[in-house]
Amino acid sequence: MSEIPGDLKFLKSHEWARAEDDGLVRVGISDHAQGQLGDLVYVELPEIGSAVKAGTGAAVVESVKAASDIYSPVSGEVVEVNELLNDKPETINEDAYGEGWIFLVRPSDRAELDELLDANEYEELVENDDH
Amino acid sequence: MTEKTVLNATHRALGARMVDFGGWDMPINYGSQIEEHHAVRRDAGMFDVSHMTVIDLHGARTREFLRHLLANSVDKLKVTGKALYSCMLNEQGGVIDDLIVYFFDEAHFRLVVNASTRVKDLAWIERQAQAFGVEVKERPDFAMIAVQGPGARAKVLGLLHEVDRARIEKLGKFAAAAAQGPHGMPLFVARTGYTGEDGFEIIVPNEHAVALWEALATSGVAPAGLGARDTLRLEAGMNLYGQDMDETVSPWEANLGWTIALDEGRAFIGRAALEQQKATGVPRVMVGLVLDDKGVLRHGQKVLTANGEGEILSGSFAPTLNKAVAFARIPAGVAGDVRVDIRGREVPVRLVKYPFVRDGKPCEGI
């Protein structure tokens, strides 16, 4: 499993959030999650301009095995989506923390970021998951 | 208590992702399920199917017993080693299980039944066998490896003792024979499978299974998990027990009419119910669906037709086709435009004749 980047925050449901320099929050799923899901074959992206709410479904990823809701870690407005995933959903399998990001949010309440797990806490959660 | 096949440590050493499958700890994939799927379509892959139940039947009246037990006619088996696919029905014509029966001699036949139905199958078979004085003997001492793909047979043949090679190479489809494998290990090699590709299913004594697996790997056969097995069999149009049919479903409603032999004078279990259903017609039919748009068809999704609602049985992304396909059970009659409810969205799908894929290639109209 790849190293978890220290600047990421996580939901228990395995989504990551990265606070960018411009104040926006990038969202994806963890490397652990992509491994559990297996080969991804379809990503249903949110619409640009749509409102998302922390802890509720914003996107759907489908692997060969199953469909999974992707929760937004923060509330706000979707300002960009990763169009690359329309043709290459497997990018999430290959690079979950980088090229495989899913959408970008302009957060309405940055304090929500403080409620997320940090990288160490998430790593602990995943380790407990595995045993 | 989760059961383990004799290859469990081998799977784990290969880094397999293990899941519970009908009470068995089995590999779902060893990395990429899609790559394993393609390996089988393009060359050769192998599956540990040792969780399946091998049952030997012994007794002078075994054929007579199987005439009674099975909906297909065991009288089609005339030559030693010949195999037959059949349903085993209850009195209502519902499917207790689907299985393969092999003919050794009049006093010895072998059944291979599903893993998830093992307990109820054994109980049912034993109960029915009593009246015929047939001995029902489970064979947990066997492992089973399915080697499938266009390159599968050649790779297996290369591992056999040279005195056996020509004979096994000539083995017809749905026929089996004994042969010696690496280091003289005794194999039962059947030209059967569950992928839509050519290949063998090999029954091997537990103590030789790891050595056989390793010899196959060295010959270039790719390990493939139960995930790939599921997408391969779906593309090939083959039913999965529990998902596509069960005890509440008649073979007529599961596209298994071709396995029913209404041969004269044979009173098999469920026959009366099947004949009545045939005369009156069944209310539901099983069809193939293709989704040309993006998205994935899944088990349990609602199917909307001109005649009412049905549901998706097996559904998945099909790696060979790069789109989703499914089996669905829908009301009989003209279906009209068919749609599937995917998370509240009604998505149009095409109703097709399946199999979806045969011998590595998409079938016409898919």
Side-chain angles (χ1 to χ4, degrees):
Chain A
M1 179 173 296
S2 68
E3 191 81 1
I4 300 176
D7 60 333
L8 297 185
K9 303 268 199 156
F10 291 87
L11 278 174
K12 279 184 185 161
S13 49
H14 306 288
E15 295 83 353
W16 56 258
R18 175 183 282 128
E20 303 280 357
D21 295 341
D22 54 9
L24 301 178
V25 174
R26 199 173 295 274
V27 179
I29 64 168
S30 74
D31 192 59
H32 174 77
Q34 70 75 19
Q36 292 286 330
L37 289 166
D39 294 319
L40 292 175
V41 295
Y42 175 57
V43 181
E44 198 176 295
L45 296 166
E47 280 184 36
I48 292 172
S50 64
V52 291
K53 196 164 170 283
T56 63
V60 179
V61 296
E62 300 222 30
S63 70
V64 183
K65 250 187 288 177
S68 304
D69 285 316
I70 302 305
Y71 296 150
S72 183
V74 292
S75 305
E77 181 195 343
V78 175
V79 293
E80 198 182 333
V81 297
N82 188 358
E83 305 275 0
L84 172 74
L85 299 178
N86 283 327
D87 292 327
K88 290 186 162 300
E90 67 273 19
T91 309
I92 295 177
N93 294 116
E94 291 155 4
D95 189 9
Y97 296 129
E99 293 292 307
W101 66 279
I102 300 173
F103 56 94
L104 194 61
V105 181
R106 175 172 294 123
S108 54
D109 178 7
R110 291 185 60 86
E112 284 173 350
L113 284 168
D114 302 331
E115 290 162 30
L116 302 173
L117 304 175
D118 67 25
N120 288 332
E121 288 165 334
Y122 179 70
E123 194 160 16
E124 217 167 280
L125 175 92
V126 166
E127 273 168 20
N128 291 335
D129 240 27
D130 281 344
H131 300 293
Chain B
M1 178 68 192
T2 310
E3 301 205 59
K4 292 181 169 65
T5 76
V6 72
L7 289 161
N8 192 276
T10 307
H11 302 317
R12 288 178 176 278
L14 286 165
R17 185 170 296 276
M18 307 297 286
V19 294
D20 180 89
F21 184 88
W24 291 78
D25 184 49
M26 298 300 284
I28 183 114
N29 63 59
Y30 301 84
S32 165
Q33 175 176 334
I34 291 179
E35 279 169 30
E36 291 163 21
H37 178 109
H38 290 322
V40 172
R41 285 275 179 259
R42 292 166 188 168
D43 186 18
M46 59 179 159
F47 306 87
D48 176 14
V49 288
S50 308
H51 58 309
M52 297 194 73
T53 310
V54 180
I55 302 167
D56 279 342
L57 304 173
H58 294 279
R61 296 174 66 197
T62 303
R63 186 184 289 273
E64 192 186 340
F65 164 59
L66 290 170
R67 281 189 190 120
H68 170 72
L69 185 76
L70 302 180
N72 207 339
S73 175
V74 78
D75 288 325
K76 292 174 186 169
L77 301 180
K78 296 186 174 82
V79 183
T80 295
K82 194 72 185 135
L84 181 74
Y85 173 76
S86 180
C87 287
M88 178 166 76
L89 306 177
N90 59 27
E91 290 291 356
Q92 294 74 43
V95 184
I96 294 174
D97 202 3
D98 62 338
L99 55 81
I100 291 182
V101 53
Y102 296 95
F103 171 50
F104 287 81
D105 60 60
E106 289 304 324
H108 180 200
F109 288 69
R110 171 171 291 169
L111 305 179
V112 177
V113 307
N114 282 302
S116 57
T117 50
R118 175 179 162 271
V119 174
K120 72 162 186 177
D121 285 3
L122 279 166
W124 177 260
I125 294 165
E126 276 165 6
R127 201 174 105 203
Q128 302 299 333
Q130 277 170 14
F132 297 86
V134 168
E135 183 204 358
V136 179
K137 192 175 165 206
E138 195 189 350
R139 297 299 303 267
D141 48 322
F142 283 136
M144 183 150 47
I145 300 172
V147 191
Q148 303 275 293
R153 285 170 65 233
K155 287 180 166 66
V156 171
L157 290 169
L159 296 177
L160 301 181
H161 193 292
E162 55 189 55
V163 301
D164 291 328
R165 276 183 206 156
R167 186 170 50 88
I168 299 300
E169 189 171 10
K170 276 191 232 136
L171 210 55
K173 291 205 172 169
F174 254 75
Q180 284 180 73
H183 321 295
M185 65 174 75
L187 305 178
F188 178 71
V189 181
R191 196 167 165 199
T192 52
Y194 194 46
T195 62
E197 300 297 328
D198 206 343
F200 293 125
E201 292 179 303
I202 304 171
I203 295 178
V204 54
N206 279 332
E207 62 270 28
H208 298 299
V210 172
L212 176 61
W213 181 275
E214 283 168 358
L216 288 162
T218 305
S219 304
V221 181
L226 294 185
R229 186 170 154 86
D230 193 52
T231 50
L232 287 158
R233 68 91 196 165
L234 173 62
E235 287 185 346
M238 295 168 169
N239 288 15
L240 172 64
Y241 189 82
Q243 196 152 345
D244 301 313
M245 74 287 200
D246 57 30
E247 293 188 25
T248 69
V249 174
S250 135
W252 304 125
E253 297 176 310
N255 261 353
L256 292 171
W258 63 277
T259 70
I260 298 170
L262 296 173
D263 42 347
E264 206 165 316
R266 187 171 68 95
F268 64 84
I269 302 166
R271 177 167 185 152
L274 287 189
E275 285 185 336
Q276 196 189 353
Q277 290 162 4
K278 196 183 180 195
T280 56
V282 287
R284 303 174 297 176
V285 292
M286 187 164 142
V287 296
L289 302 178
V290 174
L291 174 62
D292 292 310
D293 214 343
K294 289 195 169 175
V296 184
L297 302 172
R298 305 266 183 207
H299 176 67
Q301 286 169 348
K302 203 194 296 172
V303 181
L304 304 137
T305 80
N307 288 319
E309 286 177 8
E311 82 171 326
I312 302 253
L313 308 165
S314 293
S316 177
F317 175 77
T320 308
L321 305 165
N322 205 29
K323 52 188 168 189
V325 300
F327 301 144
R329 190 163 291 118
I330 61 171
V334 180
D337 289 333
V338 182
R339 289 149 295 139
V340 174
D341 182 330
I342 302 181
R343 295 186 296 276
R345 217 158 37 95
E346 287 186 13
V347 182
V349 290
R350 271 190 301 128
L351 203 147
V352 297
K353 278 208 183 346
Y354 57 84
F356 305 99
V357 175
R358 259 292 182 269
D359 296 323
K361 302 208 170 45
C363 294
E364 212 170 309
I366 307 296

